[in-house]
């Protein structure tokens, strides 16, 4: 039962990610970039990179690269 539930959760997660990416592509973004923009827009004041790293459970280097690319794209 647990294996089946894990598999179903993984399938649901993949489908959601695919749907989010399909939506984000029209804005030249990935689903992760879109989620980061949403997080920043909902924060009270400027969002710190450390907060983004914590919220999205990503490494500092990953956050740096994502934010640099997003800044480059405006």
């Amino acid at each position: 039962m647990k294996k089946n539930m894990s598999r179903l959760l993984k399938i649901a997660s993949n489908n959601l990610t695919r749907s989010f990416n399909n939506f984000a592509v029209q804005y030249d973004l990935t689903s992760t970039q879109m989620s980061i923009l949403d997080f920043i827009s909902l924060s009270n004041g400027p969002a710190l990179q450390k907060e983004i790293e914590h919220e999205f459970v990503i490494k500092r280097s990953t956050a740096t690269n994502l934010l640099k690319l997003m800044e480059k794209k405006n």
Side-chain angles (χ1 to χ4, degrees), residues 4-18:
N4 191 32
M5 182 64 76
S6 296
R7 183 174 175 276
L8 292 174
L9 284 171
K10 183 64 175 171
I11 290 169
S13 174
N14 287 344
N15 286 338
L16 281 171
T17 300
R18 195 173 298 116

Side-chain angles (χ1 to χ4, degrees), residues 10-48:
K10 183 64 175 171
I11 290 169
S13 174
N14 287 344
N15 286 338
L16 281 171
T17 300
R18 195 173 298 116
S19 293
F20 290 154
N21 276 324
N22 287 339
F23 177 79
V25 75
Q26 65 187 317
Y27 301 104
D28 194 27
L29 297 170
T30 64
S31 61
T32 302
Q33 292 169 334
M34 188 173 64
S35 295
I36 289 172
L37 286 173
D38 184 55
F39 176 76
I40 292 169
S41 73
L42 296 174
S43 67
N44 296 327
L48 302 176

Side-chain angles (χ1 to χ4, degrees), residues 35-74:
S35 295
I36 289 172
L37 286 173
D38 184 55
F39 176 76
I40 292 169
S41 73
L42 296 174
S43 67
N44 296 327
L48 302 176
Q49 179 173 330
K50 191 169 197 91
E51 295 169 332
I52 293 169
E53 293 164 11
H54 182 264
E55 178 71 18
F56 294 93
V57 192
I58 55 176
K59 295 179 182 177
R60 179 183 293 170
S61 59
T62 302
T64 298
N65 289 335
L66 272 167
L67 294 170
K68 280 183 180 179
L69 180 61
M70 290 170 69
E71 185 176 27
K72 187 177 177 181
K73 290 182 173 184
N74 284 324

